[in-house]
């Protein structure tokens, strides 16, 4: 039996903790995990720039040493490196660390480190194992092998050529060219492709001639796409791959390389490491607003300062990176951000709370309404022909992180549904999206594109994906959107599946194995348990149809009472199976889950006063 007072108390504790994480300017910035992969690529870029005569190379020696020290201190016991300090080793990050340590000469100075790393790489299949990890997607495999070649650890013959000449075409043509990299990796396509061409020209005279003619025009794309910060996507790995490629082709002092180096220097952390990206400020702010707004008894978080900041984050011009139209949001307010179909609905949902419950005058409400309409139109224009939503670019579905995704689609549909009464076209778009989600349900669950679980064989996360879809079904129950019987059946099956995933300790998901790994039992994670609670309560009917929720809420309340609800798990993918965790994720998800639990308890008490123990006071 659930004690309502206990749940409410834990909610208040988690809520105050989340509010305390706000920046003084009124929004949230968060903190991304440090990354061995980012650190390795940054070290390689700085070292290659130094070797190749970068004008500011003397200032970078201490940064290189700090990064090397971090890598040497954070090698896992199996000889490899993981993407974060909470991640298992993987072949990609291990190869990048070996390349960095080789370039700096530290691999030779620490033979035991190198020997253990090589043994791990061999165990994972070497270069064929790396290629198998990414399949047809060359977004990361080719840059990693290029880094290896620059460290003289592999012949350039092993590095696949990338058609950098394709970058001279208008962005609207990219979906027809079927590039071997995803849309966000065009800078890597150019930089890495040109490094391969520079060091190992093709034997075919026609291809050689075409690429020679396109070399300088394609290089101009790097300038066009580089943001003010110097960091492509605000991401250290992507920027580092470009910088090392330019440095290795005689362009260490080019404007693009120097801007990239500036970004790398600006991004280093006190311990000598680098994060995977600068921050996810827009994303964690909208998630926080939406979590804190589940209960309507306190709207103090809906401040004018936060609203102004969020409205200012909306893109006002065509974006140079993807050619995206104005009207959307990216993951941060920094210049390297790119508008996408996950952050945009997050902003739309947050704006709905400001519109309905914020202390706004009529002029401000009109401003919110116009921003929401623009965001919804942007989302509708991005919808793929299969009915789903991609992350960045419509119609690029040849590579994994460009295809439609269930989590992205469900979130985009929630954003549209929130404003559907103002959008006559929304009903048709949502109907197409519902058909897509129906097709993507497998074994009663949905798989997400951008989140995973490192303990699952396929590194996927059906709990996250399923809950995101269930959240859509929950939201549309109170909206003008039509839902059919087949959708209701799909949601019912998903709820049963979700309940069946509960661990013996009452939580969900997990990190470290606590029993025979083949049995699928793991220590539960805060993030996945909180998500599961929200999903189990998605029917808006109280608690009677979700018997698993009580043990899950008890598990989460105990974590709050111990103040261990702040412990993170590497749940996020930052492109192509590159893991990260975010400091605010467990905090935000805990607040959202307990808020939904409070609301469900209040509903059950009204309908059946004996359904829960304790009292609401």
């Amino acid at each position: 039996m659930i004690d309502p007072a206990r749940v409410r108390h834990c909610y208040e504790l988690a809520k105050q903790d989340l509010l305390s994480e706000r920046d003084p300017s009124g929004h949230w910035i968060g903190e991304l995990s440090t990354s061995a992969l980012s650190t390795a690529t940054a070290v390689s870029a700085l070292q290659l720039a130094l070797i190749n005569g970068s004008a500011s190379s003397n200032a970078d020696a201490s940064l290189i040493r700090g990064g090397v020290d971090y890598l040497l201190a954070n090698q896992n016991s199996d000889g490899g490196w993981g993407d974060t300090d909470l991640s298992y080793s993987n072949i990609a990050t291990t190869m990048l660390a070996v390349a960095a340590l080789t370039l700096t000469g530290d691999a030779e100075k620490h033979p035991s480190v190198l020997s253990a790393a090589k043994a791990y790489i061999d165990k994972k299949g070497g270069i064929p194992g790396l290629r198998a990890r990414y399949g047809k997607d060359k977004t990361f495999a080719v840059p990693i092998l290029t880094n290896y070649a620059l460290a003289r650890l592999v012949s350039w013959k092993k590095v696949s050529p990338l058609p950098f000449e394709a970058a001279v075409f208008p962005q609207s043509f990219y979906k027809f060219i079927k590039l071997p990299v995803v849309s966000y990796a065009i800078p890597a396509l150019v930089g890495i492709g040109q490094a391969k061409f520079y060091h190992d020209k093709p034997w075919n005279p026609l291809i050689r001639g075409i690429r020679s003619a396109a070399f300088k025009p394609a290089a101009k794309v790097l300038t066009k796409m580089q943001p003010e910060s110097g960091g492509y996507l605000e991401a250290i790995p992507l920027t580092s791959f470009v910088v090392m490629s330019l440095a290795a082709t005689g362009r260490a002092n080019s404007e693009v390389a120097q801007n990239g180096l500036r970004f790398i220097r600006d991004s280093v952390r006190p311990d000598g490491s680098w994060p995977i990206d600068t921050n996810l400020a827009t994303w964690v702010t909208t998630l926080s607003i939406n979590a804190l707004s589940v209960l309507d008894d306190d709207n103090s978080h809906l401040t004018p300062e936060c609203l102004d900041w969020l409205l200012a984050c909306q893109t006002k011009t065509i974006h140079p990176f993807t050619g995206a139209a104005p009207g959307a949001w990216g993951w941060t307010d920094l210049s390297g951000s790119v508008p996408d179909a996950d952050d945009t609905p997050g902003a739309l949902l947050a704006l709905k709370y400001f519109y309905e419950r914020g202390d706004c005058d009529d002029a401000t409400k009109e401003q919110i309404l116009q921003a929401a309409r623009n965001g919804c139109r942007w989302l509708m224009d991005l919808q793929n022909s299969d009915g789903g939503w991609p992350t960045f670019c419509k119609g690029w579905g040849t590579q994994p992180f460009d295809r439609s995704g269930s989590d992205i689609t469900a979130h985009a549909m929630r954003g549209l549904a929130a404003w559907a009464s103002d959008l006559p076209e929304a009903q048709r778009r949502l109907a197409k999206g519902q058909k897509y989600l129906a097709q993507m349900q497998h074994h009663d669950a949905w798989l997400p594109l951008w989140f995973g679980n490192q303990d699952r064989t396929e590194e996927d996360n059906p709990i996250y994906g399923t809950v995101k879809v269930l959240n859509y079904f929950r939201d549309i129950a109170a909206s003008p959107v039509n839902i059919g019987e087949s959708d209701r059946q799909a949601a019912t099956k998903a709820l049963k599946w979700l309940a069946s995933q509960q661990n013996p300790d009452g939580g969900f998901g997990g990190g470290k194995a606590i029993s025979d790994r083949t049995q699928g039992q793991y220590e539960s994670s805060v993030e996945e348990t909180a998500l599961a609670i929200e999903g189990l309560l998605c029917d808006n009917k109280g608690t009677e149809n979700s018997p698993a929720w009580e043990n899950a809420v008890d598990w989460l309340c105990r974590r709050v009472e111990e103040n261990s609800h702040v412990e993170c798990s590497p749940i996020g993918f930052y492109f192509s199976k590159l893991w990260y965790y975010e400091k605010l994720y467990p905090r935000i998800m805990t607040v959202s889950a307990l808020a939904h639990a409070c609301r469900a308890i209040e509903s059950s008490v009204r309908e059946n006063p004996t359904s829960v123990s304790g009292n609401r006071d």
Side-chain angles (χ1 to χ4, degrees), residues 526-527 559 563-569 586-587:
V526 174
E527 292 92 339
R559 298 301 296 266
N563 198 37
S564 60
H565 70 289
V566 301
E567 295 177 0
C568 300
S569 299
R587 290 170 161 89

Side-chain angles (χ1 to χ4, degrees), residues 388-564:
W389 268 265
T391 307
F392 298 113
C393 299
K394 181 177 181 177
W396 272 66
T398 59
Q399 299 300 334
F401 278 75
D402 273 323
R403 67 172 185 261
S404 298
S406 296
D407 53 331
I408 303 291
T409 298
H411 202 198
M413 292 167 68
R414 286 182 65 202
L416 287 178
W419 298 93
S421 59
D422 294 301
L423 299 164
E425 174 69 4
Q427 285 279 4
R428 188 175 68 85
R429 299 292 186 146
L430 292 170
K432 285 184 62 178
Q434 286 170 196
K435 290 181 180 179
Y436 169 82
L437 290 176
Q439 295 170 352
M440 296 304 294
Q441 187 176 23
H442 297 293
H443 304 294
D444 299 334
W446 285 274
L447 296 178
L449 188 59
W450 289 94
F451 288 81
N453 183 322
Q454 63 180 352
D455 281 293
R456 289 178 59 86
T457 302
E458 298 300 323
E459 298 183 329
D460 52 15
N461 197 320
I463 289 176
Y464 183 95
T466 300
V467 170
K468 291 303 172 182
V469 177
L470 286 173
N471 286 349
Y472 166 71
F473 288 127
R474 176 198 66 208
D475 284 7
I476 61 174
S479 78
V481 178
N482 295 321
I483 179 171
E485 181 60 30
S486 61
D487 293 316
R488 293 189 182 90
Q489 291 177 359
T492 299
K493 291 178 181 178
L495 276 169
K496 291 180 179 178
W497 175 88
L498 183 59
S500 74
Q501 301 303 299
Q502 191 165 34
N503 292 334
D505 64 0
F508 287 77
K512 300 176 182 178
I514 58 173
S515 62
D516 183 359
R517 192 176 287 263
T518 61
Q519 299 300 311
Q521 296 181 9
Y522 306 100
E523 288 183 2
S524 302
S525 74
V526 174
E527 292 92 339
E528 287 164 283
T529 301
L531 286 166
I533 291 169
E534 191 169 340
L536 289 169
L537 297 174
C538 76
D539 58 7
N540 283 323
K541 295 180 180 178
T543 60
E544 67 276 8
N545 295 327
S546 303
W549 82 281
E550 291 188 10
N551 287 336
V553 170
D554 175 68
W555 185 95
L556 191 58
C557 283
R558 280 187 278 114
R559 298 301 296 266
V560 173
E561 291 161 346
E562 298 166 358
N563 198 37
S564 60

